[in-house]
Structures are given as C-alpha cells and as structure tokens.
Amino acid sequence: MQTTLVGFSGLAPSSRHSSVYKLWRRSGTCAVVLLALVMLSLGTGEGKAMASGAKGDRAGHSGLRTVRGLPDRHPKLNTGPDAALSGPAGGPAQIGRPTPQHHGPARQYTRQQLLDALFMELRDADTLNKAQGISRRIHSLFMQSGSHTLDLLMMRSAEAVESKQYGLALDLLDAVVRLDPEYVEGWNRRATVHFLKEDLGRSLADIEQVLRIEPRHYPALSGFAMILRRTGKNKKALEVFQHVLGIYPLLENAQDAVKSLRMELWGQYH
C-alpha cells in the first residue's frame, strides 16, 4: 500500500487516469460481485480452470506457471553488462515468450524464474532509482493474475479502499482468494484492508498466506513488522525489518524503521 504504510499492497491513486480505470468506474460493483459469486457457485469456466491449475501446482503434477507477459507500459528489463544475470533478467520484457536465439530451440522463462532474477537484481542494485525500477517490475509480477475476473475484482477493491468502504473491499477480496488461493496479491490486499480496520489478527493470518506463496514479499514482511511494532514487540519488529533489508537493501522506509527501532531499544536498556 502506498499511503502512510510501509508495507502491504499498492493502491496507486494514479490508476484513476487510465482508460481501463474509467471503463471500470462505469461498470456496477454489484455486477462484479455477482459475476464472482456465479463463478464460485457454478465451479465452471475460468474459476474452475484456476482452481484445477492451483491444485495441479500443489500436487506437483505441473511445472511453474508461465504467465502472459508484462503490461504494455511496463519498464523494460535490464539488458547488457549491467544486468545482474544473463538469463531471465536480461531477456525480453514478455514473460513466457521465447527469447530470440540464433541456434537451438527457443527458451521460455516462467514467472518464478523471472522473479528469482529480479530479486537478485534488487539485492545487488547500487542506486535508489535502479532499485525502485526493479521493485516496480516485481510488483507488476505480483499483481498479474492471468484472469480478467480477478483483475476486475482487484480494481473494484482498490476503489472501495480509496473510498473507505472496507466492508465492500473485503467482500470483493474474499471472492478473489476463493477463486485463486495462489494469487499472492489477493491475500496481500486483504491483509491491508484488515490492517486499516485495526483487525490485526486477521491481517496477520493473511500475511501468513502471502509469505507461504512468496517468502520474499517485502511489502507483506514490512506490514508484519509494523504490526509487531504496534503491539510493542519492537525487538522482533527490528529483526523482521532487517530481514526486509536483506531482500531490498535500499528500501528507505525499512532503513528508517531500523534506525528508529534501534534508538528505541537502546533507550530501553540505557
């Protein structure tokens, strides 16, 4: 979340200016919820396909999912000698599409392979601008659902959060996590809403689901540390923020939190 919080999901106000956003605003919230409920009740079509896909992944019968590609306006990935890897991070911006090769069969990179490469780049980034660009690409991958229905539900939930309709946002996000329990941003967004409602227990439960799917999810880890700090567990909060910096060393909010917590803990013992 990009409001006053360090962690959780991004609810960028700039989305108001996109054509998709304007189209979405003209559609009815009730229709979106109804669509999700119909999919859940019928268990067919897109919802059934996603559920069976998630089940197959958990059972180990299929490999990592190959996703469709990055959004049209997504920054291109690093290329050339400055790239941390010569593999996925130096490849094309379109995930799951073959890289141009002169010899041999075309290779496809999975979402997980690209995330692994980007997290290595994020850890080794030597400037704030470079790190923030990599972070945006990671967030774009987190946001990709592979489903138009989930995308619409997520957009509707963002609008509900902006207007402080937290009950509606939770209804929409309940549908998201039921349709695809492996979609990490559904859990992360719902953790954010629970946090905004001061329901820290449910927020922690959703953060646990986020970290089950992606242990390096630094916004959710930051949210976890914030909850620890709010409940007076400063020593544990410091440990979690330090872990966040191990993943994203140039994250300014986490750096500030570590400095502040160290001073608070020093004051408690001196």
Side-chain angles (χ1 to χ4, degrees), residues 84-101:
L85 296 177
S86 58
Q94 296 298 318
I95 312 167
R97 295 188 179 180
T99 57
Q101 294 182 0

Side-chain angles (χ1 to χ4, degrees), residues 76-80 83 85-94 99-100 109 114 121:
K76 291 186 178 181
L77 299 177
N78 293 344
T79 57
L85 296 177
S86 58
Q94 296 298 318
T99 57
Y109 294 113
L114 187 53
E121 288 193 6

Side-chain angles (χ1 to χ4, degrees), residues 81-260:
D82 291 333
L85 296 177
S86 58
Q94 296 298 318
I95 312 167
R97 295 188 179 180
T99 57
Q101 294 182 0
H102 298 292
H103 304 288
R107 180 178 178 183
Q108 292 185 342
Y109 294 113
T110 66
R111 175 182 181 277
Q112 191 62 47
Q113 287 173 323
L114 187 53
L115 275 174
D116 291 343
L118 288 172
F119 272 114
M120 290 183 68
E121 288 193 6
L122 184 65
R123 182 196 63 194
D124 297 335
D126 55 2
T127 68
L128 182 59
N129 285 340
K130 185 182 293 185
Q132 289 174 340
I134 297 167
S135 177
R136 285 192 295 270
R137 294 199 293 276
I138 290 173
H139 182 69
S140 291
L141 287 175
F142 285 159
M143 286 297 298
Q144 286 185 351
S145 69
S147 161
H148 296 302
T149 301
L150 291 183
D151 291 344
L152 184 57
L153 289 168
M154 289 293 285
M155 287 195 298
R156 280 295 188 189
S157 72
E159 168 71 5
V161 171
E162 287 183 18
S163 59
K164 301 187 185 304
Q165 299 179 58
Y166 298 139
L168 173 59
L170 288 175
D171 288 341
L172 293 163
L173 293 167
D174 287 346
V176 170
V177 299
R178 287 173 185 166
L179 283 169
D180 188 355
E182 299 303 307
Y183 177 46
V184 69
E185 277 309 301
W187 296 106
N188 188 50
R189 178 73 59 79
R190 202 171 75 168
T192 305
V193 179
H194 284 312
F195 184 90
L196 292 171
K197 291 187 66 180
E198 301 288 334
D199 193 341
L200 303 186
R202 285 191 171 92
S203 184
L204 282 172
D206 283 348
I207 289 172
E208 182 178 359
Q209 292 297 322
V210 175
L211 300 179
R212 172 185 63 82
I213 300 168
E214 177 49 75
R216 301 166 297 187
H217 198 293
Y218 49 88
L221 285 165
S222 296
F224 177 36
M226 290 164 58
I227 292 174
L228 290 169
R229 190 174 188 180
R230 179 168 290 196
T231 55
K233 299 178 176 64
N234 287 350
K235 186 175 181 180
K236 183 63 177 178
L238 176 60
E239 293 175 4
V240 176
F241 273 125
Q242 288 173 327
H243 179 60
V244 170
L245 291 178
I247 299 168
Y248 187 170
L250 297 182
L251 183 58
E252 292 179 307
N253 288 331
Q255 291 175 344
D256 293 341
V258 167
K259 292 177 184 177
S260 175

